[in-house]
Amino acid sequence: MKKLAILGSTGSIGVNTLDIIERFRDKYEIVALSAGSNIQLLKEQIAKFKPKVVSVLNEPLANRLKEELDPLDIEILYGIEGTNRVATLSEVDMVVSAIVGAAGLIPSVSAIKARKNIALANKETLVMAGKIVMKEAKENGVTIFPIDSEHSAVFQSLLGHQKKDVKRIILTASGGPFLNCSREELANVTIQEALNHPVWEMGKKITIDSASLMNKGLEVIEARWLFDIPYEKIDVHIHPQSIVHSMVEYIDGSVVAQMGLPDMRGPISYALAYPERLPTELPSLNLLEIDKLTFELPDEKRFPALRLAYRAVEEGGTMPAVLNAANEIAVEAFLNNKIGFTGIPHIIKQTMNSYKVKEINTIQDALEADSWARMKAKMLI
Ligand code: MG
């Protein structure tokens, strides 16, 4: 029996993870859950999975939950301390890190320091502080299993091979809803259009990031740290069908790709069950029904966010944390109708331009760059 804690249980990845676990109750036990403010859904999850500990966003929400649940059955916590406790409970074997955005960094690091294996959906953890996080993981004997579909594909395509033989990694991107929009059209897209992803069903933040291609930029940085490979060896191909989830090219010219239907339950179940596989009952991938698989290079003129991410990882140090924070603020501003869609990369670029990059030696360095960039981006907006 694998004992799990889920950080971000009411988000898209959390819900999909619990959907899998529900069908494999003989293999997995939910020990703890952390959520934000979706108390209604959390209560349903508590009733179903009976965790021993839960944590919510703040004290009033925790009090509300306490009034409605029997305190003898469950420990109810809140805030960053509560999330950290969920991430570090002694009986937990694996922590599913699925909080959205920079808020996922500290609990992920706490879990690693407590020697928990990680199923990582929160890519920002590696974008902001990949160097430190991977060092901590190594020192604590922790394996990080990616839940991101592209990184799960690379992880699978690397198995049985040696890193010295890798020529490059090719991350695929669906291209999002605006793949064929002109620059003029992009300036006027609505929030609803941006949230309407053609292939993947995901949370709001990542859906906007997919539309701007910033998601792919963050994934390049994530891959750089997760697989310890120079960013120059990571390429991006637009692949609208989202069947090939990513590829690894080897020095002998062989390319290993991982394929599957675009459904997050694939990479989640792989991360949970490794080295085994779970019979997920997802429909079979039928290549005979798929007309064709196409690949093209991303257009950096229309989608400058990807280039900004390469620039951030090239400049190194704290710059990726600045990129990430400016992006979070800009996406929020777009979702609140304060800037247009093309304003997102613009704000990020301006924020990066006015930042002097620093070395990153501690998590604190990343957090300071993060707060600076948030302030700067807000001012610019
Ligand atoms: Mg992805």
Side-chain angles (χ1 to χ4, degrees):
M1 186 71 91
K2 208 179 241 183
K3 297 188 171 185
L4 300 175
I6 301 180
L7 310 176
S9 71
T10 56
S12 170
I13 296 290
V15 167
N16 273 309
T17 303
L18 289 171
D19 179 61
I20 293 164
I21 286 167
E22 195 177 354
R23 278 173 296 140
F24 299 97
R25 300 293 279 264
D26 54 325
K27 287 182 166 37
Y28 302 98
E29 183 188 333
I30 295 294
V31 178
L33 298 173
S34 96
S37 50
N38 191 345
I39 297 298
Q40 198 49 45
L41 179 54
L42 180 62
K43 266 169 50 188
E44 291 169 25
Q45 295 177 341
I46 291 169
K48 210 179 258 176
F49 296 98
K50 312 239 176 323
K52 298 191 175 92
V53 182
V54 296
S55 179
V56 291
L57 185 66
N58 55 35
E59 194 173 9
L61 289 170
N63 287 338
R64 223 176 89 196
L65 206 51
K66 277 177 191 166
E67 278 166 25
E68 297 175 37
L69 297 171
D70 186 344
L72 293 175
D73 293 341
I74 188 163
E75 189 181 341
I76 297 167
L77 306 166
Y78 62 89
I80 183 73
E81 278 169 35
T83 313
N84 274 333
R85 173 135 168 83
V86 168
T88 57
L89 285 169
S90 60
E91 62 216 277
V92 168
D93 303 311
M94 177 180 249
V95 173
V96 178
S97 172
I99 292 175
V100 177
L105 174 63
I106 290 183
S108 301
V109 172
S110 302
I112 290 169
K113 285 186 172 165
R115 305 187 171 227
K116 310 298 182 194
N117 280 336
I118 307 285
L120 186 72
N122 176 267
K123 63 192 75 177
E124 292 83 354
T125 294
L126 289 175
V127 171
M128 292 174 70
K131 185 177 125 184
I132 318 288
V133 170
M134 293 313 288
K135 187 166 154 265
E136 285 286 351
K138 201 172 171 193
E139 283 171 10
N140 288 292
V142 163
T143 307
I144 299 178
F145 298 98
I147 284 183
D148 215 342
S149 62
E150 296 78 1
H151 303 71
S152 178
V154 172
F155 187 100
Q156 294 177 57
S157 301
L158 285 170
L159 286 180
H161 302 277
Q162 298 190 47
K163 203 185 286 161
K164 68 175 178 61
D165 296 333
V166 172
K167 191 167 174 190
R168 62 172 175 155
I169 286 174
I170 301 164
L171 298 179
T172 55
S174 71
F178 306 137
L179 180 58
N180 298 311
C181 286
S182 68
R183 276 163 100 170
E184 295 68 37
E185 285 168 330
L186 281 174
N188 297 310
V189 297
T190 65
I191 297 167
Q192 267 327 307
E193 287 167 331
L195 285 174
N196 192 12
H197 197 280
V199 193
W200 291 95
E201 254 183 65
M202 305 175 290
K204 267 188 189 177
K205 156 78 167 49
I206 188 171
T207 303
I208 301 300
D209 285 348
S210 294
S212 71
L213 287 200
M214 179 52 89
N215 182 51
K216 211 49 52 180
L218 299 177
E219 288 180 355
V220 168
I221 305 175
E222 180 185 11
R224 185 261 169 271
W225 292 113
L226 193 58
F227 305 114
D228 187 25
I229 187 160
Y231 69 90
E232 297 97 326
K233 290 187 173 183
I234 306 171
D235 290 336
V236 171
H237 286 6
I238 302 287
H239 168 47
Q241 299 83 14
S242 294
I243 296 297
V244 175
H245 295 315
S246 278
M247 303 170 248
V248 178
E249 181 184 344
Y250 291 93
I251 49 175
D252 61 358
S254 179
V255 176
V256 179
Q258 188 263 343
M259 294 193 279
L261 292 170
D263 188 308
M264 285 313 292
R265 284 171 296 181
I268 293 170
S269 66
Y270 185 77
L272 292 179
Y274 177 89
E276 290 175 29
R277 286 183 185 268
L278 297 174
T280 56
E281 291 169 32
L282 290 178
S284 281
L285 167 63
N286 186 347
L287 286 171
L288 300 173
E289 277 180 2
I290 295 167
D291 183 32
K292 56 189 172 184
L293 300 177
T294 62
F295 301 89
E296 60 186 282
L297 284 175
D299 180 347
E300 290 176 1
K301 289 222 169 67
R302 286 183 300 135
F303 300 100
L306 182 58
R307 180 47 47 198
L308 290 172
Y310 272 103
R311 179 184 142 195
V313 70
E314 186 183 349
E315 292 185 28
T318 46
M319 194 56 101
V322 167
L323 168 96
N324 179 66
N327 180 53
E328 284 188 22
I329 296 299
V331 168
E332 196 184 296
F334 170 70
L335 287 172
N336 291 324
N337 249 324
K338 288 190 184 133
I339 58 171
F341 186 69
T342 47
I344 297 173
H346 184 69
I347 294 291
I348 300 166
K349 188 176 176 184
Q350 297 300 320
T351 307
M352 287 171 70
N353 283 349
S354 46
Y355 183 69
K356 220 171 143 250
V357 66
K358 297 186 183 77
E359 252 186 64
I360 184 162
N361 295 309
T362 61
I363 294 294
Q364 196 53 38
D365 294 336
L367 293 175
E368 277 167 22
D370 176 273
S371 334
W372 180 89
R374 276 167 205 276
M375 239 167 53
K376 184 75 194 176
K378 278 181 192 161
M379 271 162 52
L380 287 166
I381 287 162

